[in-house]
Amino acid sequence: MRYSAEIGSVVQRLRDGMAGGVLSFPLTSFRDDGEDDGDGSGGLDLESYRAYLTAQLAPGPGAAAPGAVFPACGTGEFFSLDEDEYRAVVEATVEIADGRLPVVAGIGYGWAQALRFARIAEEAGADALLVMPHYLVGAPQDGLVGQLRRIAAGTRLPLIAYQRGQVAFTADSLRRIAEIPTVIGLKDGHSDLDRLQRLTLAAPDGFLFFNGASTAEIQARAYATVGVPAYSSAVHAFAPEIASAFFTALRGNDEATLTKLLRDFYIPLVELRDRVPGYAVSLVKAAARLRGLPVGLVRAPLTDPGAADLAELEAILDTGLALVGAPLRRTTA
């Protein structure tokens, strides 16, 4: 497939990043009181976000830097950000990344609102956009394709489609969106490997795919069997040491380490996550706080875990960190 030189460069950087590390979806830091500090960012704690993200992108001993960073997406509570907050988060991410790795900002809702966020991300210097599932309604395949065409017509940035929830592309629709000159890839959150295999076979050469399932490591080996080895990692948001150890073991076919991490850390984490709606974000944020990272609490409609779940989370986190030889507390200093 053929891209413009500018978009082709972004595609190559993303491909290289996916080959060399996990894809990072950072948390967004909020002040616990939710009060506006007068800088137009509402309850956003931008100073803490900058400190947190700096630590995430230079994770230190036992952890590799991610292959790309996706601010203001699902883990970053995009759905709870106003436009000023969104701008501040993307601008800070671009500044801190400083060209070292691609910055892919989340956009969403209907196409008109998605374009408002797309223009902000463009002005902030993002490299590409992740188009999250549209708001509320189901839609036929023609509508899913039309949504991406509308967005592509209004921004110069390359787009990665995200299929999850009510968005699920057929092989024919995948061919159609891949013909849009700025649509460069697909993030899959359905974990339907039969459908995904059909999509990968329908896609033109060079089209990017990655595993975007919740706690994607659980299914990383299965995704790799259908030609999709790249994945996002929510665990990287609070324990890059664990995420890096898993990635290294996966790429090195170290079955003993994979089994140990899956059995003793990832599966217990997922079992806890599945108890309460929204824990896919809430537990990640709580785990980051347990490590001393300045991310604050979640915003409604999400809720933070109670004492019993928090104690269980801490035990799971202790086990995972012990498995890779990392300390519980991790500061941003």
Side-chain angles (χ1 to χ4, degrees), residues 225-318:
T225 65
V226 295
V228 183
Y231 61 92
S232 59
S233 176
V235 169
H236 188 275
F238 63 88
E241 304 95 331
I242 299 174
S244 294
F246 187 93
F247 181 87
T248 299
L250 182 66
R251 295 304 168 93
N253 296 312
D254 181 351
E255 292 295 326
T257 298
L258 290 174
T259 297
K260 183 171 56 176
L261 286 170
L262 286 167
R263 181 189 60 217
D264 297 337
F265 172 73
Y266 282 99
I267 289 175
L269 179 67
V270 167
E271 289 175 348
L272 178 58
R273 180 202 73 195
D274 288 348
R275 289 181 196 167
V276 178
Y279 263 18
V281 176
S282 300
L283 285 182
V284 173
K285 215 163 198 184
R289 292 196 303 273
L290 286 171
R291 302 205 71 198
L293 298 169
V295 296
L297 304 176
V298 295
R299 280 182 171 172
L302 300 180
T303 59
D304 290 286
D309 286 350
L310 193 59
E312 186 171 346
L313 174 64
E314 186 168 11
I316 293 168
L317 180 57
D318 278 343

Coordinates of all heavy atoms in Angstrom, one line a residue, residues 225-318:
T225 N -0.5 -15.9 17.0 CA -0.7 -17.0 16.1 C -1.5 -16.6 14.9 O -1.4 -17.3 13.9 CB -1.5 -18.2 16.8 OG1 -2.8 -17.8 17.1 CG2 -0.7 -18.7 18.0
V226 N -2.2 -15.5 14.9 CA -2.9 -15.0 13.7 C -2.2 -13.8 13.1 O -2.8 -13.0 12.4 CB -4.4 -14.7 14.0 CG1 -5.1 -16.0 14.3 CG2 -4.6 -13.6 15.0
G227 N -0.9 -13.6 13.5 CA -0.1 -12.6 12.9 C -0.2 -11.2 13.5 O 0.1 -10.2 12.9
V228 N -0.6 -11.1 14.8 CA -0.8 -9.8 15.5 C 0.0 -9.9 16.8 O -0.6 -10.1 17.9 CB -2.2 -9.5 15.7 CG1 -2.4 -8.1 16.4 CG2 -3.0 -9.5 14.4
P229 N 1.3 -9.8 16.7 CA 2.1 -9.9 18.0 C 2.1 -8.6 18.8 O 2.5 -8.7 20.0 CB 3.5 -10.2 17.4 CG 3.6 -9.6 16.1 CD 2.2 -9.7 15.5
A230 N 1.8 -7.5 18.2 CA 1.9 -6.2 19.0 C 0.7 -6.1 19.9 O -0.4 -6.5 19.6 CB 2.0 -5.0 18.0
Y231 N 0.9 -5.4 21.0 CA -0.2 -5.2 22.0 C 0.0 -4.0 22.9 O 1.1 -3.6 23.1 CB -0.4 -6.5 22.8 CG 0.8 -6.9 23.7 CD1 0.8 -6.4 25.0 CD2 1.8 -7.7 23.2 CE1 1.9 -6.8 25.8 CE2 2.8 -8.1 24.0 CZ 2.9 -7.6 25.3 OH 4.0 -8.0 26.1
S232 N -1.2 -3.5 23.3 CA -1.2 -2.5 24.3 C -1.1 -3.1 25.7 O -1.4 -4.2 25.9 CB -2.4 -1.6 24.2 OG -3.6 -2.4 24.4
S233 N -0.5 -2.3 26.7 CA -0.3 -2.9 28.0 C -0.8 -1.9 29.1 O -0.1 -0.9 29.3 CB 1.1 -3.2 28.3 OG 1.3 -3.7 29.6
A234 N -1.9 -2.2 29.7 CA -2.4 -1.4 30.8 C -1.5 -1.6 32.0 O -1.3 -0.6 32.8 CB -3.8 -1.8 31.2
V235 N -0.8 -2.7 32.1 CA 0.1 -3.0 33.2 C 1.3 -2.1 33.2 O 1.8 -1.6 34.2 CB 0.5 -4.5 33.3 CG1 1.7 -4.7 34.2 CG2 -0.7 -5.4 33.6
H236 N 1.7 -1.7 32.0 CA 2.8 -0.7 31.8 C 2.5 0.6 32.5 O 3.4 1.3 33.0 CB 3.1 -0.5 30.3 CG 4.3 0.3 30.1 ND1 4.4 1.7 30.2 CD2 5.6 -0.1 29.9 CE1 5.6 2.1 30.0 NE2 6.4 1.1 29.8
A237 N 1.2 0.9 32.7 CA 0.8 2.2 33.3 C 1.2 2.2 34.8 O 1.3 3.3 35.4 CB -0.7 2.4 33.1
F238 N 1.4 1.1 35.4 CA 1.7 1.1 36.8 C 2.9 0.2 37.2 O 3.6 0.4 38.2 CB 0.5 0.7 37.7 CG 0.0 -0.7 37.5 CD1 0.6 -1.8 38.2 CD2 -1.0 -0.9 36.6 CE1 0.1 -3.1 38.0 CE2 -1.5 -2.2 36.4 CZ -1.0 -3.3 37.1
A239 N 3.2 -0.8 36.3 CA 4.4 -1.7 36.6 C 5.1 -2.0 35.3 O 5.0 -3.1 34.8 CB 3.9 -3.0 37.2
P240 N 5.8 -1.0 34.8 CA 6.6 -1.3 33.5 C 7.6 -2.4 33.6 O 7.9 -3.0 32.6 CB 7.2 0.1 33.2 CG 7.2 0.8 34.5 CD 6.0 0.4 35.2
E241 N 8.0 -2.7 34.9 CA 9.0 -3.8 35.1 C 8.3 -5.1 34.7 O 8.9 -6.0 34.1 CB 9.5 -3.8 36.5 CG 10.1 -2.5 37.0 CD 9.2 -1.6 37.7 OE1 7.9 -1.7 37.4 OE2 9.6 -0.9 38.6
I242 N 7.0 -5.3 35.2 CA 6.3 -6.5 34.9 C 6.0 -6.6 33.4 O 6.2 -7.6 32.7 CB 5.0 -6.6 35.7 CG1 5.4 -6.7 37.2 CG2 4.2 -7.9 35.3 CD1 4.2 -6.6 38.1
A243 N 5.5 -5.5 32.8 CA 5.2 -5.4 31.4 C 6.4 -5.7 30.5 O 6.3 -6.5 29.5 CB 4.6 -4.1 31.1
S244 N 7.5 -5.2 30.9 CA 8.7 -5.4 30.1 C 9.2 -6.9 30.2 O 9.6 -7.5 29.2 CB 9.9 -4.5 30.6 OG 9.5 -3.2 30.3
A245 N 9.1 -7.5 31.4 CA 9.5 -8.9 31.6 C 8.6 -9.8 30.8 O 9.1 -10.7 30.2 CB 9.4 -9.2 33.1
F246 N 7.3 -9.5 30.7 CA 6.4 -10.3 30.0 C 6.7 -10.2 28.5 O 6.8 -11.2 27.7 CB 5.0 -9.9 30.2 CG 4.0 -10.9 29.6 CD1 3.5 -12.0 30.2 CD2 3.6 -10.7 28.3 CE1 2.6 -12.8 29.6 CE2 2.7 -11.5 27.6 CZ 2.2 -12.6 28.3
F247 N 6.9 -9.0 28.0 CA 7.2 -8.7 26.6 C 8.5 -9.4 26.2 O 8.6 -10.1 25.1 CB 7.4 -7.2 26.3 CG 7.7 -6.8 24.9 CD1 6.6 -6.7 24.0 CD2 9.0 -6.7 24.5 CE1 6.9 -6.3 22.7 CE2 9.2 -6.3 23.2 CZ 8.2 -6.2 22.3
T248 N 9.5 -9.4 27.0 CA 10.8 -10.0 26.7 C 10.6 -11.5 26.6 O 11.2 -12.2 25.7 CB 11.9 -9.6 27.8 OG1 12.1 -8.2 27.7 CG2 13.2 -10.3 27.5
A249 N 9.9 -12.1 27.6 CA 9.6 -13.5 27.6 C 8.8 -13.9 26.4 O 9.1 -15.0 25.8 CB 8.9 -13.9 28.9
L250 N 7.9 -13.1 26.0 CA 7.0 -13.5 24.9 C 7.9 -13.5 23.6 O 7.8 -14.5 22.8 CB 5.9 -12.5 24.7 CG 4.9 -12.7 23.6 CD1 4.1 -14.0 23.8 CD2 3.9 -11.5 23.5
R251 N 8.7 -12.5 23.4 CA 9.5 -12.4 22.2 C 10.6 -13.5 22.2 O 11.1 -13.9 21.1 CB 10.0 -11.0 22.0 CG 9.0 -9.9 21.7 CD 8.1 -10.3 20.5 NE 6.9 -9.5 20.4 CZ 6.8 -8.4 19.7 NH1 7.9 -7.9 19.1 NH2 5.7 -7.7 19.7
G252 N 11.0 -13.9 23.4 CA 12.1 -14.9 23.5 C 11.6 -16.3 23.6 O 12.4 -17.2 23.9
N253 N 10.2 -16.5 23.5 CA 9.6 -17.8 23.7 C 10.0 -18.5 25.0 O 10.3 -19.7 25.1 CB 10.0 -18.7 22.5 CG 9.5 -18.2 21.2 OD1 8.3 -17.9 21.1 ND2 10.3 -18.2 20.2
D254 N 10.1 -17.7 26.0 CA 10.4 -18.2 27.4 C 9.1 -18.6 28.1 O 8.5 -17.8 28.8 CB 11.1 -17.0 28.2 CG 11.5 -17.4 29.6 OD1 11.1 -18.5 30.0 OD2 12.2 -16.6 30.2
E255 N 8.7 -19.8 27.8 CA 7.5 -20.3 28.3 C 7.4 -20.4 29.8 O 6.3 -20.2 30.4 CB 7.2 -21.7 27.7 CG 6.9 -21.7 26.2 CD 5.6 -20.9 25.8 OE1 4.7 -20.9 26.6 OE2 5.6 -20.2 24.8
A256 N 8.5 -20.7 30.4 CA 8.5 -20.8 31.9 C 8.1 -19.5 32.5 O 7.3 -19.4 33.5 CB 9.8 -21.3 32.4
T257 N 8.8 -18.4 32.0 CA 8.5 -17.1 32.6 C 7.1 -16.6 32.3 O 6.4 -16.1 33.1 CB 9.5 -16.0 32.1 OG1 10.8 -16.4 32.5 CG2 9.2 -14.6 32.6
L258 N 6.6 -16.9 31.0 CA 5.3 -16.5 30.7 C 4.2 -17.2 31.5 O 3.3 -16.6 32.0 CB 5.0 -16.9 29.2 CG 5.7 -16.0 28.1 CD1 5.5 -16.6 26.8 CD2 5.3 -14.6 28.2
T259 N 4.4 -18.5 31.7 CA 3.5 -19.2 32.6 C 3.4 -18.7 34.0 O 2.4 -18.6 34.6 CB 3.9 -20.7 32.6 OG1 3.7 -21.2 31.2 CG2 2.9 -21.5 33.5
K260 N 4.6 -18.5 34.5 CA 4.7 -18.0 35.9 C 4.0 -16.6 36.1 O 3.2 -16.4 37.0 CB 6.2 -17.9 36.3 CG 6.4 -17.4 37.7 CD 7.9 -17.6 38.1 CE 8.8 -16.8 37.1 NZ 10.2 -16.9 37.5
L261 N 4.2 -15.7 35.1 CA 3.6 -14.4 35.2 C 2.1 -14.4 35.0 O 1.3 -13.8 35.6 CB 4.3 -13.4 34.2 CG 5.7 -12.9 34.5 CD1 6.3 -12.2 33.4 CD2 5.6 -12.0 35.7
L262 N 1.7 -15.2 34.0 CA 0.3 -15.4 33.7 C -0.5 -16.0 34.9 O -1.5 -15.5 35.4 CB 0.0 -16.2 32.5 CG 0.4 -15.5 31.2 CD1 0.4 -16.6 30.0 CD2 -0.7 -14.4 30.8
R263 N 0.1 -17.1 35.4 CA -0.6 -17.8 36.5 C -0.6 -17.0 37.8 O -1.7 -17.0 38.5 CB 0.1 -19.2 36.8 CG -0.5 -20.0 37.9 CD 0.4 -21.2 38.1 NE 1.7 -20.8 38.6 CZ 2.9 -21.4 38.3 NH1 2.9 -22.4 37.5 NH2 4.0 -20.9 38.7
D264 N 0.5 -16.4 38.2 CA 0.6 -15.8 39.5 C 0.3 -14.3 39.6 O 0.0 -13.7 40.6 CB 2.0 -16.0 40.1 CG 2.3 -17.5 40.3 OD1 1.3 -18.3 40.4 OD2 3.5 -17.9 40.3
F265 N 0.3 -13.6 38.4 CA 0.0 -12.2 38.4 C -1.1 -11.8 37.5 O -2.1 -11.3 37.9 CB 1.3 -11.4 38.0 CG 1.0 -9.9 37.8 CD1 0.8 -9.1 38.9 CD2 0.9 -9.4 36.5 CE1 0.5 -7.7 38.7 CE2 0.6 -8.0 36.3 CZ 0.4 -7.2 37.4
Y266 N -1.0 -12.1 36.2 CA -2.0 -11.6 35.3 C -3.4 -12.2 35.5 O -4.4 -11.5 35.5 CB -1.6 -11.8 33.8 CG -0.5 -10.8 33.4 CD1 0.8 -11.1 33.4 CD2 -0.9 -9.5 33.0 CE1 1.8 -10.2 32.9 CE2 0.1 -8.6 32.5 CZ 1.4 -9.0 32.5 OH 2.3 -8.0 32.1
I267 N -3.5 -13.5 35.7 CA -4.8 -14.1 35.8 C -5.5 -13.6 37.1 O -6.7 -13.2 37.1 CB -4.8 -15.6 35.7 CG1 -4.5 -16.0 34.2 CG2 -6.1 -16.3 36.2 CD1 -4.3 -17.4 34.0
P268 N -4.8 -13.6 38.3 CA -5.4 -13.0 39.5 C -5.9 -11.6 39.3 O -6.9 -11.2 39.8 CB -4.3 -13.2 40.5 CG -3.5 -14.3 40.1 CD -3.5 -14.2 38.6
L269 N -5.1 -10.8 38.6 CA -5.4 -9.4 38.3 C -6.7 -9.3 37.5 O -7.6 -8.5 37.8 CB -4.3 -8.7 37.6 CG -4.5 -7.2 37.2 CD1 -4.6 -6.4 38.5 CD2 -3.4 -6.7 36.3
V270 N -6.8 -10.2 36.5 CA -8.0 -10.2 35.6 C -9.2 -10.6 36.4 O -10.3 -10.1 36.2 CB -7.8 -11.0 34.4 CG1 -9.1 -11.3 33.6 CG2 -6.8 -10.3 33.4
E271 N -9.1 -11.6 37.2 CA -10.2 -12.1 38.0 C -10.7 -11.0 38.9 O -11.9 -10.9 39.1 CB -9.8 -13.4 38.8 CG -9.6 -14.6 37.9 CD -9.1 -15.8 38.6 OE1 -8.7 -15.6 39.8 OE2 -9.1 -16.9 38.0
L272 N -9.8 -10.2 39.5 CA -10.2 -9.1 40.3 C -10.9 -8.0 39.5 O -11.9 -7.4 39.8 CB -9.0 -8.5 41.1 CG -9.3 -7.3 42.0 CD1 -10.4 -7.6 43.0 CD2 -8.0 -6.9 42.7
R273 N -10.3 -7.7 38.3 CA -10.8 -6.7 37.4 C -12.2 -7.0 37.0 O -13.1 -6.1 36.9 CB -9.9 -6.7 36.2 CG -10.3 -5.7 35.1 CD -9.7 -6.1 33.7 NE -10.4 -7.2 33.2 CZ -10.0 -8.0 32.2 NH1 -8.8 -7.7 31.6 NH2 -10.7 -9.0 31.7
D274 N -12.5 -8.3 36.8 CA -13.8 -8.6 36.2 C -15.0 -8.5 37.2 O -16.1 -8.7 36.9 CB -13.8 -10.0 35.6 CG -13.0 -10.1 34.3 OD1 -12.7 -9.0 33.8 OD2 -12.7 -11.2 33.9
R275 N -14.7 -8.3 38.5 CA -15.7 -8.2 39.5 C -16.6 -7.0 39.4 O -17.8 -7.0 39.8 CB -15.1 -8.3 40.9 CG -14.5 -9.6 41.3 CD -13.9 -9.6 42.7 NE -13.1 -10.7 42.9 CZ -12.2 -10.8 43.9 NH1 -12.2 -9.8 44.8 NH2 -11.4 -11.8 44.0
V276 N -16.0 -5.9 39.0 CA -16.7 -4.6 39.0 C -16.6 -3.9 37.7 O -15.4 -3.7 37.2 CB -16.2 -3.7 40.2 CG1 -16.9 -2.3 40.2 CG2 -16.3 -4.4 41.5
P277 N -17.7 -3.4 37.1 CA -17.5 -2.6 35.9 C -16.6 -1.4 36.1 O -16.7 -0.7 37.1 CB -19.0 -2.2 35.6 CG -19.8 -3.2 36.2 CD -19.1 -3.6 37.5
G278 N -15.8 -1.2 35.1 CA -14.9 0.0 35.2 C -13.6 -0.3 35.9 O -12.6 0.6 35.9
Y279 N -13.4 -1.5 36.5 CA -12.2 -1.8 37.2 C -11.0 -1.9 36.2 O -9.8 -1.9 36.6 CB -12.3 -3.1 37.9 CG -12.6 -2.9 39.4 CD1 -13.1 -1.7 39.9 CD2 -12.4 -4.0 40.3 CE1 -13.4 -1.6 41.3 CE2 -12.7 -3.8 41.7 CZ -13.1 -2.6 42.1 OH -13.4 -2.5 43.5
A280 N -11.2 -2.1 34.9 CA -10.1 -2.1 33.9 C -9.3 -0.8 34.0 O -8.1 -0.8 33.6 CB -10.7 -2.3 32.5
V281 N -9.9 0.3 34.4 CA -9.2 1.5 34.6 C -9.0 1.8 36.1 O -7.9 2.1 36.5 CB -10.0 2.7 34.0 CG1 -9.3 4.0 34.3 CG2 -10.2 2.5 32.5
S282 N -10.0 1.6 36.9 CA -9.9 1.9 38.3 C -8.8 1.1 39.0 O -8.0 1.7 39.9 CB -11.2 1.6 39.0 OG -12.3 2.4 38.5
L283 N -8.6 -0.2 38.7 CA -7.6 -0.9 39.4 C -6.2 -0.5 38.9 O -5.2 -0.5 39.7 CB -7.8 -2.4 39.1 CG -8.9 -3.2 39.8 CD1 -8.9 -4.6 39.4 CD2 -8.7 -3.1 41.3
V284 N -6.1 -0.1 37.6 CA -4.8 0.3 37.1 C -4.4 1.6 37.8 O -3.2 1.8 38.3 CB -4.9 0.6 35.6 CG1 -3.7 1.2 35.1 CG2 -5.2 -0.7 34.9
K285 N -5.3 2.5 38.0 CA -5.0 3.8 38.7 C -4.7 3.5 40.2 O -3.8 4.1 40.8 CB -6.2 4.7 38.6 CG -5.7 6.2 38.5 CD -6.8 7.1 38.0 CE -6.2 8.4 37.5 NZ -7.2 9.4 37.0
A286 N -5.4 2.6 40.8 CA -5.2 2.3 42.2 C -3.8 1.6 42.4 O -3.1 1.9 43.3 CB -6.3 1.3 42.8
A287 N -3.4 0.7 41.4 CA -2.1 0.1 41.5 C -1.0 1.1 41.3 O 0.0 1.1 42.0 CB -2.0 -1.0 40.4
A288 N -1.2 2.1 40.5 CA -0.2 3.2 40.3 C -0.1 4.0 41.6 O 1.1 4.3 42.0 CB -0.6 4.1 39.2
R289 N -1.2 4.3 42.3 CA -1.1 5.0 43.6 C -0.3 4.1 44.6 O 0.4 4.7 45.4 CB -2.5 5.3 44.1 CG -3.2 6.4 43.3 CD -4.4 7.0 44.0 NE -5.3 5.9 44.4 CZ -6.3 5.5 43.7 NH1 -6.5 5.9 42.4 NH2 -7.2 4.5 44.1
L290 N -0.6 2.8 44.6 CA 0.1 2.0 45.5 C 1.7 2.0 45.3 O 2.4 1.8 46.3 CB -0.3 0.5 45.4 CG -1.7 0.1 45.9 CD1 -2.1 -1.3 45.5 CD2 -1.7 0.2 47.4
R291 N 2.1 2.4 44.1 CA 3.5 2.5 43.8 C 4.0 3.9 44.0 O 5.2 4.2 43.7 CB 3.8 2.0 42.4 CG 3.4 0.5 42.2 CD 4.1 -0.1 41.1 NE 5.5 -0.4 41.5 CZ 6.5 -0.6 40.7 NH1 6.3 -0.6 39.4 NH2 7.7 -0.8 41.1
G292 N 3.2 4.8 44.6 CA 3.6 6.2 44.8 C 3.6 7.1 43.6 O 4.1 8.1 43.6
L293 N 2.9 6.6 42.5 CA 2.8 7.5 41.3 C 1.6 8.4 41.4 O 0.5 8.1 41.9 CB 2.6 6.6 40.1 CG 3.8 5.6 39.9 CD1 3.4 4.6 38.8 CD2 5.0 6.4 39.5
P294 N 1.8 9.7 41.0 CA 0.8 10.8 41.3 C -0.3 10.8 40.3 O -0.3 11.7 39.4 CB 1.7 12.0 41.3 CG 2.8 11.7 40.2 CD 3.1 10.2 40.4
V295 N -1.2 9.9 40.3 CA -2.2 9.9 39.3 C -3.6 10.3 39.8 O -4.6 10.4 39.1 CB -2.3 8.5 38.7 CG1 -1.0 8.1 37.9 CG2 -2.6 7.4 39.7
G296 N -3.8 10.4 41.2 CA -5.1 10.7 41.7 C -6.1 9.6 41.6 O -5.8 8.5 41.3
L297 N -7.4 10.0 41.8 CA -8.5 9.1 41.8 C -9.1 9.1 40.4 O -8.9 10.0 39.6 CB -9.5 9.4 42.9 CG -9.0 9.5 44.3 CD1 -10.1 9.9 45.2 CD2 -8.4 8.1 44.8
V298 N -10.0 8.1 40.1 CA -10.8 8.1 38.9 C -11.9 9.1 39.0 O -12.3 9.5 40.1 CB -11.3 6.7 38.6 CG1 -10.2 5.8 38.3 CG2 -12.2 6.2 39.7
R299 N -12.4 9.5 37.9 CA -13.6 10.4 37.8 C -14.9 9.6 37.6 O -14.8 8.5 36.9 CB -13.5 11.4 36.7 CG -12.6 12.6 37.0 CD -12.6 13.6 35.8 NE -11.9 14.8 36.2 CZ -11.6 15.8 35.3 NH1 -11.9 15.6 34.1 NH2 -11.0 16.9 35.7
A300 N -16.0 10.0 38.2 CA -17.2 9.4 37.9 C -17.5 9.5 36.3 O -17.0 10.4 35.7 CB -18.4 10.2 38.6
P301 N -18.1 8.4 35.8 CA -18.8 7.4 36.5 C -18.0 6.2 37.0 O -18.6 5.2 37.5 CB -19.8 6.9 35.4 CG -19.0 7.0 34.1 CD -18.2 8.3 34.3
L302 N -16.7 6.2 36.9 CA -15.9 5.2 37.5 C -15.8 5.3 39.0 O -16.0 6.4 39.5 CB -14.5 5.2 36.9 CG -14.4 5.0 35.4 CD1 -12.9 5.0 35.0 CD2 -15.0 3.7 35.0
T303 N -15.5 4.3 39.7 CA -15.4 4.3 41.1 C -14.1 3.7 41.5 O -13.6 2.7 40.9 CB -16.5 3.6 41.9 OG1 -16.6 2.3 41.5 CG2 -17.8 4.3 41.6
D304 N -13.4 4.1 42.6 CA -12.2 3.6 43.1 C -12.5 2.3 43.9 O -13.6 2.2 44.5 CB -11.4 4.6 43.9 CG -10.9 5.7 43.1 OD1 -9.9 5.4 42.3 OD2 -11.4 6.8 43.1
P305 N -11.6 1.3 43.9 CA -11.8 0.1 44.7 C -11.9 0.3 46.2 O -11.2 1.2 46.7 CB -10.6 -0.8 44.3 CG -9.6 0.2 43.8 CD -10.3 1.3 43.2
G306 N -12.7 -0.5 46.8 CA -12.9 -0.4 48.3 C -11.7 -1.1 49.0 O -10.8 -1.6 48.3
A307 N -11.7 -1.1 50.3 CA -10.6 -1.5 51.1 C -10.2 -3.0 50.8 O -9.0 -3.3 50.7 CB -10.8 -1.3 52.6
A308 N -11.2 -3.8 50.7 CA -10.9 -5.3 50.6 C -10.3 -5.5 49.2 O -9.3 -6.2 49.1 CB -12.2 -6.1 50.7
D309 N -10.9 -4.9 48.1 CA -10.3 -5.1 46.8 C -8.9 -4.5 46.7 O -8.0 -5.0 46.0 CB -11.2 -4.5 45.7 CG -12.5 -5.4 45.5 OD1 -12.5 -6.5 46.0 OD2 -13.4 -4.9 44.8
L310 N -8.7 -3.3 47.4 CA -7.4 -2.7 47.3 C -6.4 -3.5 48.0 O -5.2 -3.7 47.5 CB -7.5 -1.3 48.0 CG -6.4 -0.4 47.8 CD1 -6.2 0.0 46.4 CD2 -6.6 0.9 48.6
A311 N -6.7 -4.2 49.1 CA -5.8 -5.1 49.8 C -5.4 -6.3 48.9 O -4.3 -6.7 48.8 CB -6.4 -5.6 51.1
E312 N -6.4 -6.8 48.2 CA -6.2 -7.9 47.3 C -5.3 -7.5 46.1 O -4.4 -8.2 45.7 CB -7.5 -8.5 46.8 CG -7.3 -9.8 45.9 CD -8.6 -10.4 45.6 OE1 -9.7 -10.1 46.2 OE2 -8.6 -11.3 44.7
L313 N -5.6 -6.3 45.6 CA -4.7 -5.7 44.5 C -3.3 -5.6 45.0 O -2.4 -5.9 44.2 CB -5.3 -4.4 44.1 CG -4.5 -3.6 43.0 CD1 -4.4 -4.4 41.7 CD2 -5.1 -2.2 42.8
E314 N -3.1 -5.1 46.2 CA -1.7 -4.9 46.7 C -1.0 -6.2 46.7 O 0.2 -6.3 46.4 CB -1.7 -4.2 48.0 CG -0.3 -3.9 48.5 CD -0.3 -2.9 49.7 OE1 -1.4 -2.7 50.3 OE2 0.7 -2.4 50.0
A315 N -1.7 -7.3 47.2 CA -1.1 -8.6 47.3 C -0.7 -9.1 45.9 O 0.4 -9.7 45.7 CB -2.0 -9.6 48.0
I316 N -1.6 -8.9 44.9 CA -1.3 -9.4 43.5 C -0.1 -8.6 43.0 O 0.8 -9.1 42.3 CB -2.5 -9.2 42.7 CG1 -3.7 -10.1 43.1 CG2 -2.2 -9.4 41.2 CD1 -5.0 -9.8 42.5
L317 N -0.1 -7.3 43.2 CA 1.0 -6.4 42.8 C 2.3 -6.8 43.4 O 3.4 -6.9 42.7 CB 0.7 -5.0 43.0 CG 1.7 -3.9 42.6 CD1 2.0 -4.0 41.1 CD2 1.2 -2.5 43.0
D318 N 2.3 -7.1 44.7 CA 3.5 -7.5 45.4 C 4.1 -8.8 44.8 O 5.3 -8.9 44.5 CB 3.2 -7.8 46.9 CG 3.2 -6.6 47.7 OD1 3.7 -5.6 47.3 OD2 2.6 -6.7 48.9

